[in-house]
Amino acid sequence: MMYILEKKNVDQTLSEWSAKYEVYTPQKVEAYSQFLPFTESSELALNEPLNTRYPPKSLFLPQSEVMLKYNKRLNKFDEIKILPEKRIIFGIRPCDASAITLLDTVFDTDEYQDPYWTERRENTILVGLGCSEPPSTCFCTTVGYGPFNQDGLDALMTELDDVYVVEILSDKGQKLFSNFPASSKDQEQSVLNIQLKAKDLMEPAFETENLKQTLDQLFESDYWSEIAESCLGCGICTFLCPTCFCFDIVDEVQRNERIRNWDTCMFRIYSQEASGHNPRPTRAERTRQRLMHKYSYWLDHIDKIGCTGCGRCVRHCPVGLDIRAMLRAASNFEREVVNVG
Amino acid sequence: MSDNGHNPYNPIPMHIVRAYYESNDRSLKTFELVFDHQKDCDQFFSKYNPGQFCQLSIFGKGEAPFGIASAAWEGEFVRFTVQKMGSFTKYIHNLQAGDPIGMRGPLGNGFLLDDWKGKNIVIIGGGCAFSTLYALTKHVHHPKHRPDFEELIVIYGARTSGLCMYKHDIETWYQRNDMQIHQAIDVPEEDWSHHVGYVPDVLKDVAPSPQNAVAVVCGPPIMTKYTLPVLVDLGFAPEDIFTSLEKRMKCGIGKCGRCNIGSKYICKDGPVFSLAELNALPADI
């Protein structure tokens, strides 16, 4: 079943939803776009050629978040009431939605549930917007996803002239759109064509078959120092990455709060031990950790690549390092090593 | 709240009941903690296994991981020995009996006691890393557990006699007829009647048989590095050699990302690994 949301009705629809839900949409912020709460004056940026700069993972794992408030003198703490509101994230791209399902396997395990993550997940509806014209920095099809991938979404919209055609993917999605007009057979056929065409537009960015084995073999090689040579270690590739989830826990003494902040394996202090020893003392080891985590360790954990091909690390690296080129170099480097031997 | 109604990041409220220096240079201090609420106590001991660790929590200072140095049968308290290293451990060292403290745990896998039943246990420790091995030895000592295991051999080295931990208790181990204890210090001292030398050399002298035995090694990296090959030379299989690893940690429950070696998290998949498991991991230590 597919429904029609007319473009001219989007603002009104979001307003109506706002009565019952906190609604987040991509909005213009300076030269970029970012998911922000919808208001009557919001300037929507739904059809920007590029995805939001700031990843919507922040709506589940905020960049900085209070875990508890304490009273040092009484040695007591108050639990934080995490999120009572129901939320809709409208216009999230498939790469970001599938990244959230990857992070579910970290934060929502049988053994330990992270309540800050799971509460927000339970209370949030994800309405996705597929990518009819994926930009050149995107590579979702290479890593096993696609511009209309459905993982994690409750509904998926495809832009078609003056309307969005909405595919329902869950009960939550069905409830949200059940009063909308149904689409015609012609529209559904067009949607199918758009989705296939978008996928065909995307060239494979690197070889993924045996990539894990290649990287595992290169673990102690010079490959890492070569690809990390121009890296500044700024960490922006990890902060903006929708599948990076590392965090630090610190006590904010002046506010009497225990907080967690996004952290990054690209920083020296991340793995610095009290004894002075650091298992990842240079950017080569830290770059290795970043790439190995996504293209080797994730496969060990859930047999999936821990990258959804959103391209943010490619677009926003201040020195233009391109993870796709790094991974192509890995395959070539292995060949060189083998040839020399 | 999550389905099971428990936030794993919340520290469990406890109090210090005993605090005493373990070493004569005051770098090592032992703390025994009791639970403020009986249900937390029951929950802790329903899960606790020697070899596990906890995050100690001080509001305004943060958290840091420490190995548990007590066996469950010793009583409804949890023992930690803390080496003064940085600002957090310096703060802990100033705490006294009666002071409140937070704790999260027990965390990690602990020693594989069920797999070790019916075997000889060779325990090899150095420095303050002996704390979890002390818990293991105490566990094995209990009359209810002792028949589960065959021979018990403990080798424990410290730099000086003043740095030897749990002295009074360990002295009584020499009187036990169900174990061997070999203590060593690095350089000779007056009044020291036990071994003198480094742990790997003492291990060579003691030369425990690998037959039906497991060896557990915890110590500073340099000791572990030279001890593991000695065990291999003695004929211990990599599957029968165990060690406990440490890394910088924050969450302790496999979420925050930082303590991995390859695809294993020290906090969740460890801290106890067999040498066979370690050999299969990349050199990221």
Side-chain angles (χ1 to χ4, degrees):
Chain A
M1 187 75 189
M2 294 194 200
Y3 295 93
I4 294 297
L5 168 58
E6 289 189 50
K7 282 185 179 173
K8 63 175 165 49
N9 292 340
V10 166
D11 272 22
Q12 194 201 332
T13 302
L14 297 181
S15 291
E16 286 167 14
W17 284 344
S18 297
K20 275 206 248 166
Y21 298 90
E22 181 132 36
V23 180
Y24 288 84
T25 60
Q27 296 173 32
K28 266 275 189 238
V29 179
E30 297 170 349
Y32 301 96
S33 61
Q34 181 175 339
F35 280 88
L36 293 170
F38 174 81
T39 63
E40 301 293 324
S41 58
S42 291
E43 192 188 339
L44 295 192
L46 273 178
N47 295 306
E48 293 293 303
L50 298 177
N51 199 343
T52 59
R53 178 174 59 166
Y54 199 70
K57 73 173 176 187
S58 65
L59 297 172
F60 300 92
L61 179 70
Q63 185 171 351
S64 182
E65 132 170 75
V66 179
M67 303 184 91
L68 54 87
K69 277 180 156 316
Y70 58 78
N71 182 319
K72 197 167 149 52
R73 196 174 55 79
L74 298 176
N75 196 50
K76 289 211 153 84
F77 66 92
D78 293 325
E79 288 200 35
I80 296 299
K81 196 175 177 193
I82 295 161
L83 183 91
E85 300 94 358
K86 299 263 179 203
R87 307 186 303 179
I88 296 171
I89 302 180
F90 182 81
I92 188 171
R93 297 292 180 170
C95 51
D96 289 335
S98 35
I100 287 165
T101 65
L102 288 177
L103 297 191
D104 283 339
T105 69
V106 174
F107 288 111
D108 192 3
T109 61
D110 290 342
E111 200 178 1
Y112 293 112
Q113 294 184 314
D114 183 301
Y116 308 91
W117 176 274
T118 53
E119 288 242 328
R120 293 189 176 102
R121 278 290 276 144
E122 276 165 30
N123 287 303
T124 306
I125 301 174
L126 296 179
V127 179
L129 174 60
C131 309
S132 308
E133 290 173 14
S136 64
T137 45
C138 290
F139 54 99
C140 53
T141 53
T142 302
V143 285
Y145 300 91
F148 289 86
N149 193 66
Q150 301 178 347
D151 291 1
L153 291 172
D154 297 293
L156 172 62
M157 303 188 291
T158 304
E159 188 185 6
L160 183 63
D161 305 324
D162 296 335
V163 303
Y164 294 110
V165 180
V166 185
E167 284 173 78
I168 302 303
L169 304 171
S170 77
D171 292 347
K172 279 186 193 170
Q174 177 66 42
K175 235 176 108 185
L176 202 58
F177 285 98
S178 54
N179 292 330
F180 284 66
S183 55
S184 69
K185 280 275 168 285
D186 279 358
Q187 284 171 316
E188 285 169 22
Q189 188 56 48
S190 305
V191 162
L192 201 62
N193 292 342
I194 288 169
Q195 296 191 354
L196 287 174
K197 194 178 140 214
K199 205 170 175 181
D200 285 346
L201 280 174
M202 301 183 79
E203 299 280 336
F206 48 84
E207 185 60 59
T208 53
E209 208 186 321
N210 297 325
L211 179 60
K212 174 184 160 51
Q213 289 77 359
T214 301
L215 294 173
D216 288 350
Q217 274 172 22
L218 290 174
F219 196 88
E220 289 177 72
S221 73
D222 295 335
Y223 161 73
W224 308 104
S225 54
E226 285 186 22
I227 60 165
E229 194 131 355
S230 54
C231 173
L232 304 175
C234 72
I236 202 68
C237 49
T238 56
F239 291 129
L240 297 185
C241 174
T243 67
C244 274
F245 57 85
C246 287
F247 59 85
D248 190 14
I249 302 175
V250 288
D251 285 3
E252 194 60 73
V253 180
Q254 287 173 340
R255 299 204 308 257
N256 293 322
E257 291 167 349
R258 180 159 292 171
I259 60 173
R260 69 170 165 194
N261 299 317
W262 288 352
D263 202 351
T264 169
C265 58
M266 302 306 285
F267 289 174
R268 182 188 54 78
I269 198 167
Y270 173 81
S271 51
Q272 179 72 54
E273 292 169 18
S275 64
H277 173 68
N278 193 333
R280 300 179 196 133
T282 75
R283 282 193 289 277
E285 291 90 11
R286 301 199 279 272
T287 299
R288 179 175 72 190
Q289 166 63 20
R290 174 179 160 238
L291 263 63
M292 293 287 292
H293 190 187
K294 297 199 183 309
Y295 294 95
S296 172
Y297 307 155
W298 268 101
L299 288 141
D300 287 338
H301 290 146
I302 59 164
D303 205 21
K304 278 185 175 173
I305 291 175
C307 163
T308 58
C310 76
R312 284 187 181 88
C313 59
V314 179
R315 289 194 290 278
H316 299 292
C317 176
V319 293
L321 279 171
D322 186 331
I323 197 167
R324 301 168 297 180
M326 289 178 177
L327 294 166
R328 284 195 295 268
S331 303
N332 293 333
F333 199 92
E334 196 206 17
R335 266 170 230 134
E336 282 170 35
V337 170
V338 170
N339 286 343
V340 170
Chain B
M1 223 27 27
S2 56
D3 287 347
N4 58 13
H6 169 69
N7 183 338
Y9 299 101
N10 285 348
I12 300 163
M14 298 185 79
H15 274 82
I16 295 169
V17 278
R18 279 179 292 278
Y20 45 91
Y21 285 104
E22 201 64 73
S23 61
N24 63 359
D25 69 349
R26 302 200 157 204
S27 65
L28 300 169
K29 195 170 180 181
T30 293
F31 299 89
E32 291 176 5
L33 276 50
V34 291
F35 294 87
D36 289 2
H37 306 296
Q38 188 60 36
K39 69 169 175 34
D40 292 333
C41 179
D42 296 343
Q43 208 159 45
F44 179 91
F45 284 105
S46 71
K47 289 186 257 176
Y48 171 54
N49 188 37
Q52 290 186 296
F53 67 97
C54 291
Q55 287 277 359
L56 292 185
S57 163
I58 307 276
F59 292 131
K61 291 287 165 190
E63 297 183 320
F66 297 94
I68 300 167
S70 50
W73 64 261
E74 292 185 72
E76 289 189 334
F77 66 89
V78 190
R79 182 189 295 124
F80 300 93
T81 299
V82 176
Q83 183 178 21
K84 194 159 38 166
M85 286 298 285
S87 61
F88 185 82
T89 49
K90 196 174 166 189
Y91 187 90
I92 289 204
H93 261 237
N94 288 331
L95 297 180
Q96 297 163 9
D99 284 339
I101 191 166
M103 188 273 281
R104 292 196 290 122
L107 303 169
N109 58 355
F111 299 120
L112 312 172
L113 293 170
D114 286 338
D115 293 357
W116 298 353
K117 280 185 181 165
K119 296 196 175 190
N120 301 326
I121 312 282
V122 180
I123 291 172
I124 305 157
C128 62
F130 187 68
S131 57
T132 54
L133 296 179
Y134 181 66
L136 173 63
T137 310
K138 296 297 279 180
H139 174 88
V140 174
H141 276 169
H142 191 268
K144 219 174 82 192
H145 304 141
R146 191 64 193 85
D148 288 344
F149 307 95
E150 296 296 317
E151 272 188 65
L152 174 64
I153 300 174
V154 177
I155 298 171
Y156 169 41
R159 268 179 291 142
T160 67
S161 63
L163 289 171
C164 288
M165 306 191 297
Y166 319 121
K167 279 188 204 71
H168 298 296
D169 191 29
I170 290 180
E171 279 306 317
T172 69
W173 295 0
Y174 287 93
Q175 270 73 60
R176 295 183 72 106
N177 56 11
D178 65 344
M179 71 175 294
Q180 286 180 39
I181 166 77
H182 302 276
Q183 283 191 96
I185 54 174
D186 288 357
V187 287
E189 284 176 32
E190 264 182 57
D191 301 331
W192 179 259
S193 55
H194 309 305
H195 297 266
V196 175
Y198 296 118
V199 165
D201 298 324
V202 177
L203 173 63
K204 270 186 217 165
D205 292 344
V206 174
S209 162
Q211 290 303 314
N212 189 37
V214 294
V216 198
V217 183
C218 294
I222 190 76
M223 183 205 101
T224 308
K225 185 180 163 187
Y226 288 104
T227 301
L228 295 178
V230 175
L231 286 167
V232 173
D233 286 347
L234 286 169
F236 283 83
E239 292 77 20
D240 295 326
I241 301 173
F242 296 85
T243 186
S244 183
L245 299 181
E246 284 185 335
K247 277 225 170 188
R248 187 184 173 102
M249 285 179 193
K250 289 288 176 175
C251 74
I253 54 174
K255 315 276 188 224
C256 80
R258 79 197 56 236
C259 70
N260 73 303
I261 297 179
S263 56
K264 300 283 185 199
Y265 288 113
I266 304 304
C267 67
K268 179 170 71 78
D269 304 312
V272 178
F273 293 92
S274 73
L275 183 57
E277 288 173 301
L278 286 188
N279 287 342
L281 291 177
D284 197 18
I285 300 181

